[in-house]
Amino acid sequence: MCCKSILSPRLMAWKFFTIAFVCIVTVSCGDVSEWHQQQDETRDGLFLPGESTKGVEILQQAASQGNTDAESDLTLARLLGIGLTQDIEWAAKSSLALLDSGGARAHTTQGLLLSHNLTGKELTDEERRTQALSHYLVAAINKDPLAQIIVARHYINKGDCEAALQYLRKAAVSVVPSTSEEVRANIPVRYVWPEDDTMSLINQLPTLDELQFMEYLAQNGDVDAALRAAIVLVTPIPGLKYDPELAVLYLRQAVEANSTSAKVMLAAVHLHKSLQPDKNDTLELLQEALAQGDVTAHTYLGLLYLEGFQDVPRNLRKAKFHLEEGVKIGSVEAFYLLGKLYNTPEGPGNPIDAVHLWEVAAAFGHVPSAFKVAESYNKKLQVAALTTVTPDGTSALINKLCEDTLPLYRLVALSGKWRNLHHLAFDDYTQGHTSSALMKYLLLSDLGYNAAHINAGRILDSERSTLYDDDEAATNEIVKIWKRAADAGIALGYLRLGDLFYYGDGVSKNLTAAAEHYSSAAQLGNAHGMFSAAQAVEWGEGTAQNLEKARELYEVILDAHSEALVPVTLALYRMEVLIALSRFFNTNLYFHPLLQHPGQYLYTFVPPWDISIMIGLSVFITVMVKYRVRR
Ligand SMILES: *[C@@H]1O[C@H](CO)[C@@H](O)[C@H](O)[C@H]1NC(C)=O
Ligand SMILES: *[C@@H]1O[C@H](CO)[C@@H](O)[C@H](O)[C@H]1NC(C)=O
């Protein structure tokens, strides 16, 4: 038997992989028609950490039997370095050869190469963009959700909401069947620059060492540690252990020590069907927890009665009671489930209320709710489109409905399995495969993940030559990525653009543009951006000089960002000294040619005058303070 050994208990954990297993069997044992049915799942498998190598093996077997769809998928895997070593030239050649006969992903590969100027062909910017788009369109029509999302972004940028909606909906529809009911849009993502991690959920999670210590405590009977270790172990997070079976052991241990949270969590793991229950006691666990005062049990009791579980039959009346209690304490899942209950034909509620409940859950990033709301809006949109007859076929109502629907489909589409590329890319980066990491982040950035703009930008900033031999090509890419970040409202994007324009790095030097970008970063509350904006005002660089305003701006930073105390204090001292000296010499020292562009000195080795003054001043202050203390 060719493929028996592939099934390990771990695979059971992911529902998806049981399907992929069917696929392994059917493909490698020769049934290619089955392969077509399972293709989507195999494709998704490429993006799952730890399983991509297997996914590639399936594709290679199918490809060796002449399956051009699988061959096309392989070109993308090669380009991104998923499950095999990255080989951009091979991917370029192979996808080119497959364009006429092959599958959607050959076009996606070409689109990606073209849009990031990696084909090595001499084309104008316009030509590259047009060709990339036409490849993405072919791939999107041939059902590649990645291409559908990218094409949708193109239409959003062009302001064509309805076209964007059509493609995003297709991508969302392909995501939903494999989405579990508790899934949220926000997954913890790691940043390649540790200081960017302050923006991430990762910051609130333990490190691997801390997890090991928790497990050690748990094994020695610490209930709280057992519970906390279990929470981490049931969540797939890059760089941390993922082991739901072990989590269940810890939960059981905490349950035996009478922890109510553990009771609820263990019941939740059972009810979400991520693992076979180890005991037939889900209802008791929840009832005990509730009796002990843990109201979070309501939501899961609601779920249990909504669908019936183990030997407890479905009971919509009880489900309604518990879910309404769950909604009262603000449980996002309770909003979703109560909506489901209201939407049940024989149920006790009104389907219109269901949509309102889902709207709330969707606002908290609950993916299945977002899909249901989007579908309901979309239906209204279709009705409005049929009944509205205006000369140009558009109306304010339709536009409004479309704009409300778009972000919901987007949320669903971006929760597809491909979001795990973040994890794969981060692993690549930590293992030194920088160019594979960058290629993945570039794709993720094209798809519209904010974290990917930041990571791609950081890698390009620090290692321009990763993918590009040509310096101009690299800097164009850097500017493009940071612009994207800025457009997405990320302060760092504005800050980096400000720097690029300030130093004339890859773009022509433009102090006005730099000052505007710094000021945008400052408005988003970024300390570094505020500092640069204050400097621009102090020195009149790209904006009118105004020392009073500069002082105010510096002082705002002091109030908001305690970590900026030292540089801001020094900058304020420098300003006072310069003002005093200017008065003394009856001139404006700020306009002395020697003193222009203070920021530029940061990148030279000679200690610039202002830093020397700062150092001198701080030594002086320290001595003064010491002297006073002694007295
Ligand atoms: C479990 O805890 C509850 C209150 O938190 C208490 O009433 C009960 O007696 C405990 N049961 C055991 C077996 O310790
Ligand atoms: C694209 O790359 C080529 C080198 O491969 C380079 O000469 C050209 O300037 C790049 N174009 C853009 C717009 O970056």
Side-chain angles (χ1 to χ4, degrees):
M1 187 55 201
C2 58
C3 18
K4 214 169 167 181
S5 62
I6 299 173
L7 190 65
S8 80
R10 166 68 78 77
L11 290 188
M12 302 295 288
W14 277 328
K15 225 188 300 172
F16 152 73
F17 258 94
T18 46
I19 307 166
F21 175 68
V22 177
C23 186
I24 295 164
V25 176
T26 50
V27 172
S28 53
C29 304
D31 189 343
V32 175
S33 70
E34 282 281 312
W35 146 264
H36 272 292
Q37 287 173 14
Q38 309 298 349
Q39 187 185 17
D40 289 345
E41 284 83 357
T42 315
R43 281 178 163 180
D44 283 358
L46 283 182
F47 303 122
L48 296 180
E51 308 296 346
S52 46
T53 317
K54 227 165 277 163
V56 164
E57 273 166 24
I58 304 169
L59 290 176
Q60 281 171 330
Q61 271 163 346
S64 69
Q65 295 174 4
N67 183 317
T68 50
D69 269 350
E71 264 182 79
S72 305
D73 284 11
L74 277 175
T75 64
L76 187 64
R78 264 273 190 240
L79 175 62
L80 298 172
I82 299 177
L84 16 83
T85 322
Q86 183 183 45
D87 186 338
I88 297 178
E89 250 170 72
W90 186 94
K93 242 190 243 155
S94 178
S95 59
L96 205 55
L98 280 162
L99 286 182
D100 295 330
S101 59
R105 288 258 159 103
H107 285 276
T108 308
T109 305
Q110 276 294 314
L112 198 54
L113 285 162
L114 279 161
S115 58
H116 294 288
N117 195 11
L118 288 166
T119 49
K121 264 188 282 180
E122 284 291 332
L123 292 172
T124 67
D125 231 20
E126 191 52 41
E127 284 168 335
R128 271 195 302 109
R129 244 181 271 152
T130 320
Q131 289 187 15
L133 179 64
S134 65
H135 283 298
Y136 281 138
L137 276 167
V138 175
I141 289 161
N142 286 299
K143 303 201 178 82
D144 180 1
L146 297 177
Q148 289 163 349
I149 298 171
I150 291 171
V151 168
R153 267 178 71 86
H154 164 78
Y155 284 117
I156 292 172
N157 291 340
K158 269 183 53 183
D160 186 344
C161 185
E162 281 172 85
L165 190 72
Q166 189 195 337
Y167 283 103
L168 263 188
R169 180 171 183 272
K170 283 184 185 151
V173 167
S174 77
V175 166
V176 158
S178 61
T179 303
S180 73
E181 299 217 310
E182 79 261 42
V183 73
R184 298 288 190 87
N186 300 325
I187 54 164
V189 169
R190 282 190 194 272
Y191 288 88
V192 297
W193 273 37
E195 64 254 44
D196 295 335
D197 264 340
T198 50
M199 299 178 268
S200 162
L201 295 168
I202 286 278
N203 239 19
Q204 298 152 25
L205 294 166
T207 63
L208 193 57
D209 284 343
E210 283 162 355
L211 175 63
Q212 273 163 357
F213 185 61
M214 260 184 236
E215 289 199 61
Y216 168 80
L217 291 177
Q219 280 149 16
N220 287 289
D222 184 329
V223 177
D224 195 40
L227 188 63
R228 281 191 294 147
I231 294 172
V232 178
L233 289 169
V234 288
T235 324
I237 300 163
L240 284 175
K241 213 156 95 180
Y242 171 70
D243 191 341
E245 282 166 45
L246 187 58
V248 166
L249 290 184
Y250 287 136
L251 285 175
R252 197 46 92 179
Q253 180 187 334
V255 165
E256 257 137 47
N258 204 10
S259 152
T260 59
S261 306
K263 289 174 190 173
V264 177
M265 248 191 95
L266 186 58
V269 170
H270 291 167
L271 284 163
H272 288 141
K273 303 186 180 77
S274 27
L275 274 184
Q276 273 310 341
D278 55 340
K279 269 194 207 163
N280 189 357
D281 63 350
T282 311
L283 179 61
E284 283 104 88
L285 287 174
L286 290 170
Q287 282 173 338
E288 275 173 39
L290 194 59
Q292 286 171 237
D294 191 335
V295 285
T296 59
H298 280 301
T299 302
Y300 302 103
L301 280 166
L303 173 57
L304 190 147
Y305 285 122
L306 181 62
E307 289 170 359
F309 191 71
Q310 293 174 332
D311 42 20
V312 186
R314 192 168 188 235
N315 183 332
L316 295 185
R317 203 179 43 79
K318 284 188 181 171
K320 179 165 182 275
F321 168 76
H322 288 294
L323 290 174
E324 282 173 351
E325 290 299 310
V327 162
K328 277 184 209 157
I329 58 162
S331 150
V332 171
E333 205 175 340
F335 276 95
Y336 168 68
L337 293 170
L338 190 59
K340 238 175 121 175
L341 176 65
Y342 284 177
N343 202 39
T344 312
E346 71 276 21
N350 182 344
I352 296 182
D353 294 334
V355 176
H356 294 315
L357 289 163
W358 288 328
E359 280 169 345
V360 176
F364 285 94
H366 187 264
V367 173
S369 297
F371 185 71
K372 295 203 184 263
V373 179
E375 288 287 275
S376 135
Y377 288 180
N378 191 41
K379 225 181 259 163
K380 275 191 219 159
L381 184 63
Q382 301 309 322
V383 173
L386 281 178
T387 53
T388 316
V389 191
T390 53
D392 57 356
T394 58
S395 82
L397 172 70
I398 292 180
N399 281 341
K400 169 84 174 62
L401 272 172
C402 186
E403 259 146 40
D404 288 346
T405 316
L406 210 53
L408 294 162
Y409 279 133
R410 185 166 173 274
L411 183 108
V412 180
L414 291 188
S415 76
K417 294 284 188 287
W418 36 85
R419 67 178 174 178
N420 290 297
L421 275 173
H422 283 291
H423 302 344
L424 294 175
F426 188 79
D427 286 343
D428 283 344
Y429 184 77
T430 48
Q431 287 160 22
H433 306 308
T434 317
S435 102
S436 301
L438 178 56
M439 201 64 235
K440 292 187 182 81
Y441 284 132
L442 287 176
L443 169 60
L444 288 167
S445 163
D446 292 350
L447 292 170
Y449 294 94
N450 285 352
H453 307 324
I454 295 175
N455 280 336
R458 290 295 200 187
I459 295 180
L460 280 166
D461 273 348
S462 56
E463 291 173 65
R464 278 181 190 215
S465 56
T466 312
L467 285 177
Y468 299 94
D469 305 327
D470 185 279
D471 206 44
E472 191 187 335
T475 43
N476 282 336
E477 195 67 17
I478 293 177
V479 174
K480 184 172 95 185
I481 295 292
W482 286 125
K483 271 210 174 100
R484 245 183 223 175
D487 288 342
I490 300 167
L492 183 64
Y494 286 112
L495 184 64
R496 291 294 304 126
L497 284 176
D499 288 345
L500 293 171
F501 281 109
Y502 188 89
Y503 299 109
D505 186 1
V507 289
S508 42
K509 196 178 170 99
N510 181 342
L511 292 180
T512 313
E516 276 164 16
H517 287 305
Y518 285 141
S519 148
S520 304
Q523 274 158 26
L524 289 166
N526 177 289
H528 200 145
M530 289 162 108
F531 190 70
S532 300
Q535 274 202 324
V537 175
E538 181 190 348
W539 292 88
E541 288 182 320
T543 177
Q545 191 189 35
N546 184 338
L547 295 178
E548 263 322 298
K549 193 172 156 209
R551 187 182 288 125
E552 271 168 33
L553 288 172
Y554 283 127
E555 277 161 3
V556 170
I557 310 176
L558 279 186
D559 287 343
H561 299 273
S562 53
E563 76 279 8
L565 181 68
V566 175
V568 174
T569 312
L570 290 178
L572 278 169
Y573 271 122
R574 178 193 59 194
M575 206 167 103
E576 299 308 335
V577 169
L578 271 177
I579 291 172
L581 288 176
S582 297
R583 270 204 206 112
F584 185 74
F585 293 115
N586 201 12
T587 168
N588 186 348
L589 280 175
Y590 274 101
F591 289 122
H592 195 281
L594 261 181
L595 304 188
Q596 285 299 297
H597 303 314
Q600 268 180 358
Y601 296 117
L602 292 176
Y603 287 89
T604 62
F605 290 105
V606 189
W609 68 271
D610 60 343
I611 292 188
S612 315
I613 293 187
M614 288 186 211
I615 294 170
L617 268 174
S618 42
V619 170
F620 178 68
I621 296 164
T622 321
V623 172
M624 287 284 287
V625 169
K626 279 230 161 118
Y627 180 70
R628 287 185 65 138
V629 168
R630 239 182 252 145
R631 284 221 314 198

mmCIF file of all heavy atoms in Angstrom, residues 140-141 143 145 148-149 164-176 371 409 413:
data_model
loop_
_atom_site.group_PDB
_atom_site.id
_atom_site.type_symbol
_atom_site.label_atom_id
_atom_site.label_comp_id
_atom_site.label_asym_id
_atom_site.label_seq_id
_atom_site.Cartn_x
_atom_site.Cartn_y
_atom_site.Cartn_z
ATOM 1 N N ALA A 140 -7.902 34.449 -11.876
ATOM 2 C CA ALA A 140 -9.089 34.682 -11.042
ATOM 3 C C ALA A 140 -10.312 34.013 -11.656
ATOM 4 O O ALA A 140 -11.109 33.391 -10.949
ATOM 5 C CB ALA A 140 -9.329 36.179 -10.882
ATOM 6 N N ILE A 141 -10.437 34.132 -12.963
ATOM 7 C CA ILE A 141 -11.584 33.507 -13.634
ATOM 8 C C ILE A 141 -11.472 31.993 -13.530
ATOM 9 O O ILE A 141 -12.459 31.286 -13.426
ATOM 10 C CB ILE A 141 -11.659 33.990 -15.096
ATOM 11 C CG1 ILE A 141 -12.092 35.459 -15.093
ATOM 12 C CG2 ILE A 141 -12.629 33.148 -15.911
ATOM 13 C CD1 ILE A 141 -11.782 36.190 -16.360
ATOM 14 N N LYS A 143 -10.543 30.426 -11.026
ATOM 15 C CA LYS A 143 -10.797 30.031 -9.645
ATOM 16 C C LYS A 143 -9.579 29.958 -8.740
ATOM 17 O O LYS A 143 -9.557 29.162 -7.814
ATOM 18 C CB LYS A 143 -11.509 28.666 -9.595
ATOM 19 C CG LYS A 143 -12.815 28.616 -10.357
ATOM 20 C CD LYS A 143 -13.656 27.464 -9.840
ATOM 21 C CE LYS A 143 -14.990 27.386 -10.530
ATOM 22 N NZ LYS A 143 -14.966 26.723 -11.830
ATOM 23 N N PRO A 145 -8.220 31.654 -5.751
ATOM 24 C CA PRO A 145 -8.651 32.711 -4.821
ATOM 25 C C PRO A 145 -7.579 33.767 -4.582
ATOM 26 O O PRO A 145 -7.911 34.938 -4.346
ATOM 27 C CB PRO A 145 -8.975 31.958 -3.527
ATOM 28 C CG PRO A 145 -8.459 30.583 -3.700
ATOM 29 C CD PRO A 145 -8.290 30.325 -5.157
ATOM 30 N N GLN A 148 -8.004 36.134 -7.230
ATOM 31 C CA GLN A 148 -9.272 36.847 -7.057
ATOM 32 C C GLN A 148 -9.116 37.999 -6.065
ATOM 33 O O GLN A 148 -9.628 39.097 -6.273
ATOM 34 C CB GLN A 148 -10.365 35.876 -6.587
ATOM 35 C CG GLN A 148 -10.795 34.918 -7.687
ATOM 36 C CD GLN A 148 -11.559 33.701 -7.182
ATOM 37 O OE1 GLN A 148 -11.619 33.447 -5.972
ATOM 38 N NE2 GLN A 148 -12.129 32.941 -8.096
ATOM 39 N N ILE A 149 -8.396 37.737 -4.976
ATOM 40 C CA ILE A 149 -8.208 38.800 -3.975
ATOM 41 C C ILE A 149 -7.373 39.942 -4.560
ATOM 42 O O ILE A 149 -7.666 41.124 -4.350
ATOM 43 C CB ILE A 149 -7.541 38.228 -2.702
ATOM 44 C CG1 ILE A 149 -8.441 37.162 -2.075
ATOM 45 C CG2 ILE A 149 -7.265 39.328 -1.700
ATOM 46 C CD1 ILE A 149 -7.784 36.395 -0.944
ATOM 47 N N ALA A 164 -14.955 44.738 -7.690
ATOM 48 C CA ALA A 164 -14.172 44.229 -6.567
ATOM 49 C C ALA A 164 -14.993 43.230 -5.762
ATOM 50 O O ALA A 164 -14.516 42.150 -5.386
ATOM 51 C CB ALA A 164 -13.718 45.381 -5.684
ATOM 52 N N LEU A 165 -16.247 43.587 -5.536
ATOM 53 C CA LEU A 165 -17.118 42.736 -4.726
ATOM 54 C C LEU A 165 -17.286 41.351 -5.351
ATOM 55 O O LEU A 165 -17.209 40.331 -4.670
ATOM 56 C CB LEU A 165 -18.490 43.409 -4.593
ATOM 57 C CG LEU A 165 -19.431 42.766 -3.583
ATOM 58 C CD1 LEU A 165 -18.957 43.061 -2.183
ATOM 59 C CD2 LEU A 165 -20.846 43.277 -3.759
ATOM 60 N N GLN A 166 -17.461 41.355 -6.648
ATOM 61 C CA GLN A 166 -17.676 40.098 -7.358
ATOM 62 C C GLN A 166 -16.498 39.142 -7.139
ATOM 63 O O GLN A 166 -16.686 37.961 -6.837
ATOM 64 C CB GLN A 166 -17.836 40.461 -8.822
ATOM 65 C CG GLN A 166 -18.268 39.357 -9.725
ATOM 66 C CD GLN A 166 -18.016 39.767 -11.178
ATOM 67 O OE1 GLN A 166 -17.943 40.956 -11.499
ATOM 68 N NE2 GLN A 166 -17.864 38.772 -12.035
ATOM 69 N N TYR A 167 -15.273 39.667 -7.250
ATOM 70 C CA TYR A 167 -14.106 38.795 -7.092
ATOM 71 C C TYR A 167 -13.869 38.417 -5.632
ATOM 72 O O TYR A 167 -13.523 37.291 -5.312
ATOM 73 C CB TYR A 167 -12.865 39.467 -7.677
ATOM 74 C CG TYR A 167 -12.848 39.385 -9.179
ATOM 75 C CD1 TYR A 167 -13.178 40.488 -9.954
ATOM 76 C CD2 TYR A 167 -12.535 38.189 -9.822
ATOM 77 C CE1 TYR A 167 -13.186 40.403 -11.335
ATOM 78 C CE2 TYR A 167 -12.548 38.100 -11.200
ATOM 79 C CZ TYR A 167 -12.877 39.209 -11.955
ATOM 80 O OH TYR A 167 -12.896 39.125 -13.315
ATOM 81 N N LEU A 168 -14.054 39.395 -4.742
ATOM 82 C CA LEU A 168 -13.822 39.090 -3.326
ATOM 83 C C LEU A 168 -14.824 38.056 -2.832
ATOM 84 O O LEU A 168 -14.497 37.194 -2.018
ATOM 85 C CB LEU A 168 -13.964 40.357 -2.481
ATOM 86 C CG LEU A 168 -12.688 41.081 -2.126
ATOM 87 C CD1 LEU A 168 -12.988 42.179 -1.131
ATOM 88 C CD2 LEU A 168 -11.635 40.145 -1.546
ATOM 89 N N ARG A 169 -16.051 38.145 -3.347
ATOM 90 C CA ARG A 169 -17.062 37.179 -2.928
ATOM 91 C C ARG A 169 -16.648 35.773 -3.350
ATOM 92 O O ARG A 169 -16.760 34.827 -2.575
ATOM 93 C CB ARG A 169 -18.428 37.537 -3.517
ATOM 94 C CG ARG A 169 -19.482 36.542 -3.079
ATOM 95 C CD ARG A 169 -20.896 36.928 -3.443
ATOM 96 N NE ARG A 169 -21.802 35.918 -2.888
ATOM 97 C CZ ARG A 169 -22.145 34.819 -3.537
ATOM 98 N NH1 ARG A 169 -21.697 34.594 -4.757
ATOM 99 N NH2 ARG A 169 -22.934 33.934 -2.964
ATOM 100 N N LYS A 170 -16.125 35.661 -4.573
ATOM 101 C CA LYS A 170 -15.677 34.338 -5.029
ATOM 102 C C LYS A 170 -14.620 33.776 -4.085
ATOM 103 O O LYS A 170 -14.672 32.608 -3.701
ATOM 104 C CB LYS A 170 -15.096 34.438 -6.439
ATOM 105 C CG LYS A 170 -16.164 34.549 -7.497
ATOM 106 C CD LYS A 170 -15.544 34.543 -8.878
ATOM 107 C CE LYS A 170 -16.639 34.776 -9.905
ATOM 108 N NZ LYS A 170 -16.145 35.439 -11.101
ATOM 109 N N ALA A 171 -13.664 34.617 -3.724
ATOM 110 C CA ALA A 171 -12.604 34.149 -2.823
ATOM 111 C C ALA A 171 -13.194 33.774 -1.469
ATOM 112 O O ALA A 171 -12.846 32.742 -0.885
ATOM 113 C CB ALA A 171 -11.534 35.224 -2.667
ATOM 114 N N ALA A 172 -14.109 34.588 -0.970
ATOM 115 C CA ALA A 172 -14.714 34.324 0.335
ATOM 116 C C ALA A 172 -15.499 33.018 0.313
ATOM 117 O O ALA A 172 -15.415 32.213 1.252
ATOM 118 C CB ALA A 172 -15.620 35.481 0.739
ATOM 119 N N VAL A 173 -16.237 32.795 -0.763
ATOM 120 C CA VAL A 173 -17.028 31.572 -0.865
ATOM 121 C C VAL A 173 -16.112 30.343 -0.841
ATOM 122 O O VAL A 173 -16.455 29.308 -0.271
ATOM 123 C CB VAL A 173 -17.890 31.595 -2.154
ATOM 124 C CG1 VAL A 173 -18.464 30.228 -2.455
ATOM 125 C CG2 VAL A 173 -19.005 32.620 -2.007
ATOM 126 N N SER A 174 -14.922 30.473 -1.422
ATOM 127 C CA SER A 174 -14.019 29.316 -1.416
ATOM 128 C C SER A 174 -13.399 29.093 -0.035
ATOM 129 O O SER A 174 -12.914 28.014 0.267
ATOM 130 C CB SER A 174 -12.919 29.498 -2.465
ATOM 131 O OG SER A 174 -11.944 30.399 -1.998
ATOM 132 N N VAL A 175 -13.410 30.135 0.805
ATOM 133 C CA VAL A 175 -12.804 30.004 2.132
ATOM 134 C C VAL A 175 -13.781 29.388 3.131
ATOM 135 O O VAL A 175 -13.412 28.551 3.954
ATOM 136 C CB VAL A 175 -12.361 31.396 2.662
ATOM 137 C CG1 VAL A 175 -12.051 31.335 4.143
ATOM 138 C CG2 VAL A 175 -11.167 31.890 1.886
ATOM 139 N N VAL A 176 -15.043 29.787 3.030
ATOM 140 C CA VAL A 176 -15.996 29.502 4.094
ATOM 141 C C VAL A 176 -16.180 28.019 4.454
ATOM 142 O O VAL A 176 -16.193 27.682 5.635
ATOM 143 C CB VAL A 176 -17.344 30.183 3.796
ATOM 144 C CG1 VAL A 176 -18.481 29.533 4.538
ATOM 145 C CG2 VAL A 176 -17.231 31.638 4.188
ATOM 146 N N PHE A 371 -19.289 36.496 7.036
ATOM 147 C CA PHE A 371 -19.763 35.947 5.774
ATOM 148 C C PHE A 371 -21.286 36.010 5.687
ATOM 149 O O PHE A 371 -21.844 36.382 4.669
ATOM 150 C CB PHE A 371 -19.273 34.508 5.601
ATOM 151 C CG PHE A 371 -19.633 33.937 4.258
ATOM 152 C CD1 PHE A 371 -18.996 34.393 3.112
ATOM 153 C CD2 PHE A 371 -20.610 32.967 4.130
ATOM 154 C CE1 PHE A 371 -19.325 33.889 1.860
ATOM 155 C CE2 PHE A 371 -20.947 32.464 2.882
ATOM 156 C CZ PHE A 371 -20.312 32.927 1.745
ATOM 157 N N TYR A 409 -16.557 40.730 3.085
ATOM 158 C CA TYR A 409 -16.010 39.662 2.238
ATOM 159 C C TYR A 409 -14.485 39.628 2.326
ATOM 160 O O TYR A 409 -13.863 38.581 2.294
ATOM 161 C CB TYR A 409 -16.428 39.857 0.782
ATOM 162 C CG TYR A 409 -17.824 39.374 0.468
ATOM 163 C CD1 TYR A 409 -18.704 40.155 -0.251
ATOM 164 C CD2 TYR A 409 -18.253 38.113 0.882
ATOM 165 C CE1 TYR A 409 -19.986 39.722 -0.545
ATOM 166 C CE2 TYR A 409 -19.534 37.672 0.594
ATOM 167 C CZ TYR A 409 -20.395 38.475 -0.117
ATOM 168 O OH TYR A 409 -21.656 38.034 -0.402
ATOM 169 N N ALA A 413 -12.164 36.529 3.075
ATOM 170 C CA ALA A 413 -11.175 36.085 2.091
ATOM 171 C C ALA A 413 -9.777 36.043 2.708
ATOM 172 O O ALA A 413 -9.004 35.128 2.448
ATOM 173 C CB ALA A 413 -11.193 37.016 0.880
#
